[in-house]
Amino acid sequence: MTTPRHFLRLQDLSRAELTALLHRAAELKRQTRAGEVHAPLRGKTLAMIFEKSSTRTRVSFEVGMAQLGGHALFLSPRDTQLGRGESIEDTARVLSRMVDLVMIRTFGHDNLLRFAAASRVPVINGLSDDHHPCQLLADLLTAQELWGDLRGRRIAFIGDGSNNMARSWMEAADLLDFELRIGAPRAFWPSAELRAAHAGHSHFFDSAAAAAEGAGMLVTDVWTSMGQEAEQAARKATFDPFQVNAELMAKAAPGAVFMHCLPAHRGEEVTAEVLEGPRSLVWDEAENRLHAQKALMEFLSGHGPVAELDGQG
């Protein structure tokens, strides 16, 4: 049996594959807006396992699979034996004999690794505590629409520098050769080992203003992720100096834009003025989850031009 390609972190793709996938996503977006029917996954089924709730992830995968001609099946822990103690491996063995793709949105990244190791079909990380690669595909597509090639660009991530979004942005910077400046309290920097692994493209600052200096794009995320609710008050006090507001945007390069993976808490990590302002790309970014994930599912299923690059680059 051929080992399937999984997408558990951004660096599961080569540079050539990521570049081609983003260009393919842009083409699928054009086709969708033109009303062109493209259904290479007719007869295929995507199983979607949600241990964490979602708006954009569920809708974009379900709609995307439908637009590609396939079917998406929603599964929560209440709907499966996972919620009653069946092992991850047993669930993976059973599901992957019935479906063609699996997307999982979960907490521990180790659960994804265990599931993928036992699966006969490609597994997609819809979000884990360590990585959020599908969001990065959408973010990079949005940046590509603005700039084209990202090589040599400067992007600043402001907030929790150790969370899944920051980690995925670090991988993106290595793959696409741009400078990432992360502004975060020192207690929320990733390990020294991880920083060293990405030192060629990612740089850390304990000042939001220093990180934002000269950046063409400012990116942030919520200060308190799902599962961290008990830390909310302490996190708010720590991250208050790292709010993205008009003053911080003024520290960035002229014409700098703003992105946020959503949901956003106005008045916390970002002001309403920035989120709703003319330099905000968040709504394009949210839509691009759909188009980027369609390109990803097409690729992992062995269809479309990107599939021809499998293993190259």
Side-chain angles (χ1 to χ4, degrees), residues 8 11 16 48 204 226 244 288:
L8 307 183
Q11 288 184 337
M48 306 185 300
F204 285 79
M226 283 179 281
V244 179
N288 282 339

Side-chain angles (χ1 to χ4, degrees), residues 180-211:
L180 179 67
R181 297 164 69 89
I182 296 180
R186 284 185 178 268
F188 291 90
W189 289 10
S191 67
E193 180 181 10
L194 188 59
R195 297 200 307 273
H198 296 280
H201 292 90
S202 297
H203 311 286
F204 285 79
F205 302 84
D206 57 9
S207 159

Side-chain angles (χ1 to χ4, degrees), residues 65-224:
M65 195 62 177
Q67 290 182 354
L68 291 172
H71 173 72
L73 177 66
F74 174 83
L75 298 169
S76 76
R78 295 183 301 277
D79 303 319
T80 69
Q81 295 297 333
L82 273 173
R84 300 181 63 220
E86 183 170 57
S87 75
I88 290 171
E89 289 80 5
D90 287 356
T91 301
R93 293 182 185 113
V94 171
L95 269 183
S96 64
R97 286 172 178 258
M98 299 182 182
V99 304
D100 304 284
L101 292 163
V102 179
M103 186 282 298
I104 306 177
R105 184 174 169 94
T106 187
F107 290 90
H109 194 76
D110 61 317
N111 292 337
L112 277 167
L113 296 174
R114 289 171 58 195
F115 193 105
S119 176
R120 291 184 169 198
V121 301
V123 176
I124 299 169
N125 179 3
L127 176 143
S128 70
D129 286 346
D130 289 357
H131 298 279
H132 199 355
C134 287
Q135 181 64 54
L136 258 291
L137 292 180
D139 291 0
L140 295 171
L141 175 58
T142 309
Q144 176 182 277
E145 290 174 335
L146 178 68
W147 291 327
D149 192 356
L150 272 67
R151 191 183 305 268
R153 295 284 180 175
R154 176 178 288 184
I155 295 174
F157 181 90
I158 309 297
D160 185 344
S162 63
N163 76 2
N164 51 13
M165 284 297 297
R167 289 168 181 249
S168 291
W169 270 107
M170 291 164 67
E171 295 194 351
D174 288 346
L175 282 167
L176 297 183
D177 196 21
F178 61 84
E179 179 188 0
L180 179 67
R181 297 164 69 89
I182 296 180
R186 284 185 178 268
F188 291 90
W189 289 10
S191 67
E193 180 181 10
L194 188 59
R195 297 200 307 273
H198 296 280
H201 292 90
S202 297
H203 311 286
F204 285 79
F205 302 84
D206 57 9
S207 159
E213 183 179 352
M217 178 179 290
L218 268 59
V219 184
T220 194
D221 189 11
V222 295
W223 293 339
T224 306

